[in-house]
Amino acid sequence: MKRLIYFLLGLLGVTTTSCRVEYGAPHVDFRLTARVVDEQGTPIQGIVASPEGGSFDSQTGVSDYLGLIDARGGYMSSCPDRLIFEDIDGELNGGEFEQQEVSLAGRVVQTENGSGAWYGGAFEAELGDVVMKRKDKDDAEPHGETDENR
């Protein structure tokens, strides 16, 4: 009977190591705070921030009406190196903006130590203002169409 129980636990991915039951993958907790503005310093709503190759929990990675983002993410294998800021609502909220990549080099602070096993600790990055550039009108036109052809 014991063998059957161990076999079933093994199928579920549960193992015992040093008297602890662990399941999952190594991860860290990550928090980002930033204010998204246009080139004139006006806050922009509807800009999503994503860690390269991942995402933040629920909708916390989207700028609010004040341009503020207070995003939290977990279960990443390590801290992200770069963030991608992208306009997700097109012309709404002040026009269309180009995608921006922001390096986190030298901007991440560890706020909590890891456990040495599966948890790598907690980290924060406070970016301040992230300036988004407006897309040129020519870039926003579908290829092959101009005002003259319509």
Side-chain angles (χ1 to χ4, degrees):
M1 185 58 143
K2 265 187 179 179
R3 286 185 180 178
L4 178 61
I5 291 171
Y6 291 142
F7 175 75
L8 291 175
L9 287 173
L11 284 177
L12 294 173
V14 177
T15 61
T16 58
T17 307
S18 304
C19 301
R20 289 188 306 242
V21 176
E22 297 187 20
Y23 183 78
H27 72 279
V28 300
D29 292 323
F30 181 73
R31 180 179 181 197
L32 162 74
T33 55
R35 180 173 172 252
V36 183
V37 297
D38 65 15
E39 293 172 299
Q40 287 73 43
T42 306
I44 308 170
Q45 182 175 358
I47 302 295
V48 66
S50 303
E52 188 176 42
S55 63
F56 288 112
D57 297 338
S58 63
Q59 293 297 310
T60 63
V62 180
S63 62
D64 65 13
Y65 72 99
L66 295 173
L68 300 176
I69 294 177
D70 187 356
R72 298 167 194 274
Y75 305 104
M76 296 181 240
S77 59
S78 64
C79 276
D81 295 326
R82 292 187 298 173
L83 294 172
I84 299 169
F85 289 81
E86 187 175 8
D87 186 352
I88 60 171
D89 62 13
E91 286 291 327
L92 296 176
N93 297 308
E96 290 189 78
F97 296 89
E98 295 178 9
Q99 178 176 302
Q100 297 290 326
E101 291 186 19
V102 176
S103 171
L104 293 178
R107 299 171 130 178
V108 177
V109 175
Q110 187 166 7
T111 58
E112 182 180 315
N113 290 327
S115 66
W118 289 100
Y119 180 58
F123 298 84
E124 286 187 12
E126 295 180 17
L127 299 184
D129 285 355
V130 174
V131 180
M132 301 291 289
K133 297 177 184 174
R134 290 187 190 282
K135 283 186 179 179
D136 291 335
K137 291 288 183 190
D138 294 337
D139 293 344
E141 294 288 335
H143 293 289
E145 287 188 40
T146 64
D147 290 331
E148 296 169 2
N149 294 356
R150 291 183 195 159

